[in-house]
């Protein structure tokens, strides 16, 4: 016996308080804990809390007097109130130098980006001016650069072009600001409703592919424009005469038309602007939060995703509503902007978006992620920006569903000199236990996989029985299902287990469960399945189960 | 020290062949197995095999001569060739009696179901005649009753009614047969392409709710008809004069119009019929395979889902193409069918579809399943049959995504007198280890949850550090992540782990991993993360990790 004796066995000296469910006549094994039943309301509340408030936004407010709560609330909305108190002249000097440096780099870039969105350059200048002011009051990241970005500009440009001809400048611009307004509303709404987790559904791989695709598209577009221009003008630095400034005085708030525009056209753009705004707003969020998170991790501070969204959204709303007034002032400065310079800026900026290293890493780590990445890339390059995104999201989701539909299963064996049972494919020195088949299921058991899991376990059993027969070994007498990775089970899953139990019963094989988790053990009891197979068939560890059910007779 | 000494430690005497990755200067712990790298092609092949051929349909064909393979192939397509050889007169006698008994029960029922589909009664009779003949040759279930069923009839009736007025009998009937034809095509296609797993996406809970909703709808519909009839005719058993037999000779194959019908109308119905057929075909499959599986489990034989689909599909195709020829023959028999009797049959049949016990069980086991069930129920009763189904499927999927978006995490503690580490909420007698925080993540780490997982782990850490500070205990020096339930990880997940590592590094806390599975350890190495944190930080069990990294100094 001692050769098979395991040392992972839980010796039940203390009798866990949670073991009252079980008979008292069982020997020396620590029983599986059945946690005290949670009230339904408490369960629902805690699920909702984890979904929407997992970052505990109200934590600092706890046990504070009312006046302090008001201050904290204002500080939460405007973080400048917190860090502004320590702001001094020497910090301002540093910020001034930093700001001027960034501006000298960002302004030409922003002008280039405005071109991607088919907008006149002054809007770019404007966009690198007002929104950062708003962000300074409300934002939580110290490192993110606020202003137009290449990909969102391109996306906005593409989406707007589908709806209206950019040469119709006034209307086009109105739609652009309406879309910006709704992008802001979308962002604020997501933040306030704490739906920030929705942007997590764009996977890293999808973003890498999307960015690279957008970069290629933008680059090719610029090259084409420049080559066309050169054949006609024979100067690389031809001064642009394309920019016609139409804005003077005729601009208005995004969707409250004045100065001779018909009411109906505004209403028409409202819906289009809403649709475009929602898409552009989500993408803009994804990008800026991804960047913000990278810096936050590097410099070890917390980035509050939901607060970020409110800040970015407010910024876009205020921006969309004030745009023209600012733009008209600075118009003359941008009358002569060299087209070729802009193209060069754009191309050099977007080349940085193609992250070959990341693609190689994705290929190495996960082939399906790579497919999602390539789907986004080719979708953007050959179809359109939105389709590319859609393809990437669809592949990412298909992958999750796939994993839940066809989960991995593994046969476990005992590692030599230990009481640890592990996958015999991962650990070639793990040995199977005579007369017992140990199977691990690597997923929650849900309706989408319950039949597969049942059939797969029976297939392992059939294969093993054939092998046992061929080698004239002890016949399989019990089947141990290691349940550690089974984090949840639903009614279809319980049904599948029942069918498995009945099938095994007919073949005179015991069904034994090892280490069901908290949610699973609850449901095994609630459904009566624990009573059906017998509570003494549920063990804390595989080692316990093997110790109890290994065949006692020696080999014939 | 001995008080903290664990006995689950893997003693590395044999040096697993898979441990060559690791430095040789590490003491006495069995290292985590890194399985030999799989070729990409092999990996893809095995994934595809598990998805489409997990039941190994070609298993019996292995190592057989060619002639035998032909016989086996024919037997696979027509199981009657296999069991037919043992068929004899005494078995036939039993079948004859059974068949007559069932027919006497089924025919009135089938007539009633025809009414649900707004079809004349002779089609019902026909439907309980030809398809079972086809099924006898091709089916694999011994227990399933073939013929119209209430829910599919209702669904078909509803869907057809939306397209065409049932009083336009000839056209209506043509659309019905076109839909039936495409239902058959859908079923055969699913079976041949081995896409049977798609019907698993309708969860048990959704089906229970859907059936109950359909039953209520059907029942109310019948009651209304009868009450209306009674006020007019004052006899409960009023003979039906509603049935006008229009079929004689004017019927045709589903979508090849003859006898004066315009070609264009046929083409018009082709598309509509296709759409309706796909929906009805899927639902019919779901129902009959659910029933077949229940019986197969009870009597312990295998039901081949994909073969079943081919059989059911062929049955519907042949049925849709021969319907009228049969129907015209038996028309006179059904001229006088009492409406009230039909309604009574329908009502008594559908009441059985309301499974209160199952609903109670679903409530007990899984509250979200219950919501899906109720969604299907109220959707069918108050909106429409398709919307009800859509609601149920959407809720079921939302649940899966939810679980992947906000996975459970747990703090682990050591069970007294053992070396087993378990959830301290499930096992109240489990004790935390001084200076070490052990966290288990209960899900694959994917893009949709990677940020949440990282932030949740850091939140556990912050909470614990506050508690430790308040109680003046040893400060947390290492964080052990128990990875057993983490069955897979993608690039976003690896990124999140890297960010977690960097954050911990700044706080001078070691990141230690325990028991990464096969897929995870592969990706930890492929991404370079294993080298980043150091291979000596990856352990086979939590106990090993604790033994190595528990603070060596005594309490101050």
């Amino acid at each position: 016996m001692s050769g098979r004796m395991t040392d992972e066995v839980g010796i039940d000296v203390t009798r866990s308080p949670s073991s009252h469910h079980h008979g008292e006549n069982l020997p020396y094994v620590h029983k599986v804990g059945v946690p005290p039943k949670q009230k339904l309301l408490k369960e629902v509340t805690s699920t909702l809390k984890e979904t929407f408030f997992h970052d505990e936004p109200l934590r600092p407010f706890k046990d504070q007097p009312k006046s302090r709560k008001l201050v904290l609330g204002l500080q939460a909305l405007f973080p400048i109130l917190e860090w502004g108190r320590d702001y001094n002249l020497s910090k301002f000097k540093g910020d001034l130098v930093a700001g001027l440096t960034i501006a000298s780099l960002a302004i030409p870039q922003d002008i280039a980006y405005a071109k991607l969105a088919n907008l006149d350059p002054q809007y770019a200048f404007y966009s690198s001016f007002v929104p950062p002011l708003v962000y300074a009051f409300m934002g939580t990241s110290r490192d993110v650069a606020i202003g137009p970005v290449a990909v969102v500009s391109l996306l906005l440009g593409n989406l707007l072009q589908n709806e209206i001809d950019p040469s119709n400048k006034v209307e086009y611009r109105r739609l652009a600001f309406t879309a910006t307004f709704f992008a802001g509303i979308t962002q604020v709404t997501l933040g306030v409703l704490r739906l920030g987790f929705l942007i997590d559904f764009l996977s890293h791989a999808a973003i890498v592919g999307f960015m690279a695709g957008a970069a290629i598209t933008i680059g090719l577009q610029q090259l084409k424009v420049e080559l066309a221009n050169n054949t006609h003008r024979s100067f690389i630095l031809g001064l642009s005469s394309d920019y016609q400034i139409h804005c003077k005085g005729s601009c208005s708030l995004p969707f409250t038309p004045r100065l001779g525009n018909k009411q109906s056209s505004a209403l028409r753009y409202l819906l289009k602007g809403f649709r475009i705004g929602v898409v552009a707003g989500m993408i803009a969020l994804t990008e800026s939060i991804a960047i913000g998170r990278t810096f936050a991790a590097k410099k070890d501070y917390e980035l509050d995703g939901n607060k970020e969204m409110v800040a970015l959204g407010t910024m876009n709303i205020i921006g969309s509503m004030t745009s023209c007034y600012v733009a008209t002032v600075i118009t003359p400065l941008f009358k002569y902007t060299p087209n070729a310079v802009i193209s060069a800026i754009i191309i050099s900026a977007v080349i940085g978006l193609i992250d070959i290293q990341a693609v190689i890493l994705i290929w190495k780590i996960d082939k399906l992620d790579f497919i999602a990445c390539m789907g986004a890339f080719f979708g953007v390059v050959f179809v359109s920006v939105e389709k590319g995104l859609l393809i990437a999201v669809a592949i990412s989701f298909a992958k999750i569903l796939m994993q839940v539909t066809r989960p991995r299963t593994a046969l476990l064996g005992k590692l030599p000199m230990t009481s640890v049972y592990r996958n015999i494919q991962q650990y070639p020195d793990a040995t199977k236990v005579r007369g017992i088949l140990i199977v691990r299921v690597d997923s929650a058991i849900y309706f989408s996989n319950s039949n597969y899991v049942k059939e797969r376990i029976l297939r392992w059993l059939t294969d093993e029985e054939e092998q046992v027969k061929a080698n004239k070994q002890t016949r399989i007498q019990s089947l141990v299902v290691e349940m550690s990775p089974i984090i949840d089970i639903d009614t279809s899953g319980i049904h599948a287990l029942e069918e498995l139990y009945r099938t095994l019963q007919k073949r005179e094989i015991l069904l034994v469960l090892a280490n069901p988790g908290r949610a699973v053990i609850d449901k095994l009891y609630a459904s009566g399945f624990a009573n059906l197979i017998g509570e003494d068939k549920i063990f804390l560890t595989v080692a316990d189960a093997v110790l109890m059910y290994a065949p006692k007779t020696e080999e014939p």
Side-chain angles (χ1 to χ4, degrees), chain A:
Chain A
M1 268 294 285
S2 70
R4 239 185 315 106
M5 188 76 193
T6 57
D7 52 358
E8 198 197 14
V9 175
I11 302 160
D12 194 2
V13 174
T14 56
R15 295 303 293 174
S16 124
S18 58
S19 63
H20 59 272
H21 269 283
H22 313 285
E24 294 292 323
N25 53 348
L26 296 170
Y28 55 78
V29 282
H30 198 293
K31 298 305 288 185
V32 172
V34 183
K37 221 161 171 52
Q38 275 195 310
K39 286 268 183 296
L40 177 64
L41 190 71
K42 206 183 146 199
E43 207 181 312
V44 171
T45 316
S46 89
T47 306
L48 289 178
K49 184 174 160 286
E50 278 306 312
T51 308
F52 297 108
F53 302 101
H54 78 275
D55 55 348
E56 295 188 311
L58 300 179
R59 193 182 184 133
F61 292 78
K62 222 165 57 184
D63 312 322
Q64 299 286 348
K66 244 186 192 159
S67 61
R68 177 90 191 117
K69 270 184 187 166
L70 181 71
V71 173
L72 284 172
L74 281 174
Q75 282 183 354
L77 196 58
F78 301 104
I80 196 174
L81 294 178
E82 206 177 336
W83 57 261
R85 287 178 304 181
D86 306 326
Y87 202 74
N88 52 32
L89 193 67
S90 94
K91 277 189 184 164
F92 174 74
K93 270 186 201 158
D95 280 357
L96 185 70
V97 175
L100 288 175
T101 317
I102 291 174
S104 68
L105 287 167
I107 291 176
Q109 214 178 56
D110 292 348
I111 293 170
Y113 293 159
K115 210 182 149 199
L116 290 179
N118 305 309
L119 285 170
D120 293 336
Q122 63 268 30
Y123 298 106
F125 182 79
Y126 155 71
S127 291
S128 50
F129 181 67
V130 171
L133 282 184
V134 177
Y135 191 83
F137 284 86
M138 299 181 70
T140 58
S141 169
R142 300 169 206 161
D143 302 278
V144 76
I146 296 297
V149 284
V151 172
V152 178
S153 303
L154 176 77
L155 177 71
L156 198 62
N158 271 11
L159 291 173
L160 292 172
Q161 247 172 348
N162 292 346
E163 298 298 339
I164 198 168
D165 185 4
S167 63
N168 184 354
K169 291 216 171 194
V170 180
E171 298 280 282
Y172 183 86
R173 210 180 299 130
R174 175 168 297 126
L175 188 57
F177 293 129
T178 310
T180 308
F181 177 79
F182 281 113
I185 293 284
T186 307
Q187 295 169 336
V188 171
T189 311
L190 286 179
V192 170
L193 297 184
R194 308 197 65 80
L195 294 170
F197 65 86
L198 285 184
I199 65 157
D200 285 341
F201 282 129
L202 265 182
S203 69
H204 170 75
I207 293 173
V208 168
F210 175 74
M211 293 289 176
I216 299 275
T217 310
I218 297 170
L220 288 180
Q221 208 169 300
Q222 294 309 312
L223 279 180
K224 203 179 71 185
V225 169
E226 273 327 291
L227 292 174
N229 283 350
N230 290 341
T231 46
H232 287 121
R233 302 194 201 163
S234 73
F235 279 114
I236 281 186
L237 277 175
L239 288 185
S240 160
S241 59
D242 296 351
Y243 292 125
Q244 302 289 327
I245 310 303
H246 280 271
C247 196
K248 296 163 190 154
S250 77
C251 287
S252 54
L253 287 179
F255 55 92
T256 44
R258 303 179 201 153
L259 298 169
N261 285 296
K262 277 167 274 167
Q263 187 75 34
S264 69
S265 99
L267 280 171
R268 190 151 48 84
Y269 292 133
L270 200 63
L271 245 169
K272 288 179 184 171
F274 176 73
R275 242 196 45 229
I276 296 173
V278 170
V279 175
M282 298 279 281
I283 301 298
L285 272 189
T286 312
E287 202 180 342
S288 66
I289 288 192
I291 294 170
R293 269 189 190 137
T294 312
F295 280 106
K298 265 190 192 152
K299 310 201 170 172
D300 193 29
Y301 60 85
E302 288 285 317
L303 188 77
D304 184 332
N306 288 305
K307 214 180 271 180
E308 262 319 79
M309 286 181 197
V310 175
L312 293 170
T314 311
M315 196 177 94
N316 278 326
I317 294 172
I318 296 181
S320 72
M321 298 210 291
T322 53
S323 53
C324 281
Y325 302 112
V326 180
T328 43
V329 175
I330 52 161
T331 294
L333 292 172
F334 295 98
K335 236 172 190 155
Y336 308 102
T337 321
N339 244 349
V341 170
I342 289 179
S343 291
I345 291 171
I346 292 179
I347 291 174
S348 73
V350 296
I351 281 176
L353 292 178
I354 307 177
D355 193 345
I356 301 280
Q357 291 304 318
V359 176
I360 293 173
L361 198 63
I362 290 170
W363 165 259
K364 272 195 204 156
I365 298 179
D366 196 319
K367 303 299 180 279
L368 269 170
D369 261 11
F370 182 77
I371 294 177
C373 178
M374 288 296 107
F377 178 77
F378 288 111
V380 171
V381 172
F382 291 115
V383 192
S384 77
V385 175
E386 316 98 279
K387 293 278 157 57
L389 268 180
L390 209 66
I391 291 170
V393 172
I395 294 176
S396 304
F397 273 104
K399 193 189 144 200
I400 290 187
L401 289 178
M402 183 72 193
Q403 192 253 323
V404 182
T405 308
R406 290 285 183 267
R408 292 198 186 85
T409 51
L411 284 193
L412 304 191
K414 186 172 170 297
L415 293 184
M417 314 293 289
T418 73
S419 64
V420 179
Y421 289 78
R422 292 285 185 267
N423 184 351
I424 55 173
Q425 283 186 295
Q426 186 179 358
Y427 297 87
D429 59 339
T431 51
K432 291 183 194 169
V433 182
R434 190 169 59 83
I436 301 187
L437 186 73
I438 310 168
V439 182
R440 193 184 65 208
V441 179
D442 279 354
S443 162
I445 304 185
Y446 282 143
F447 59 92
S448 58
N449 64 22
S450 56
N451 276 303
Y452 170 77
V453 166
K454 185 197 73 185
E455 284 168 17
R456 191 69 189 81
I457 292 177
L458 287 175
R459 179 146 66 92
W460 280 123
L461 184 65
T462 309
D463 287 349
E464 188 69 15
E465 279 183 333
E466 276 174 14
Q467 214 180 310
V468 161
K469 216 177 226 169
N471 299 339
K472 296 199 175 125
Q473 292 164 323
T474 320
R475 83 167 193 89
I476 302 289
Q477 291 165 26
S478 22
L479 177 87
V480 178
V481 180
E482 155 73 305
M483 302 190 101
S484 306
I486 303 182
I487 47 210
D488 201 2
I489 193 165
D490 70 355
T491 36
S492 305
I494 297 277
H495 275 251
L497 283 185
E498 276 171 14
E499 286 173 16
L500 177 67
Y501 170 70
R502 288 190 207 291
T503 307
L504 290 180
Q505 213 179 17
K506 296 228 170 55
R507 297 204 205 169
E508 296 186 347
I509 293 172
L510 280 179
L511 176 62
V512 181
L513 308 181
N515 193 27
R518 202 181 158 180
V520 175
I521 193 80
D522 257 1
K523 292 177 184 180
L524 292 182
Y525 275 100
S527 63
F529 184 73
N531 288 317
L532 179 72
I533 66 164
E535 289 174 356
D536 56 331
K537 304 286 188 311
I538 305 178
F539 289 88
L540 183 70
T541 63
V542 173
D544 287 351
V546 169
L547 184 67
M548 189 70 114
Y549 285 107
K552 299 290 182 276
T553 55
E554 290 305 305
E555 301 271 347

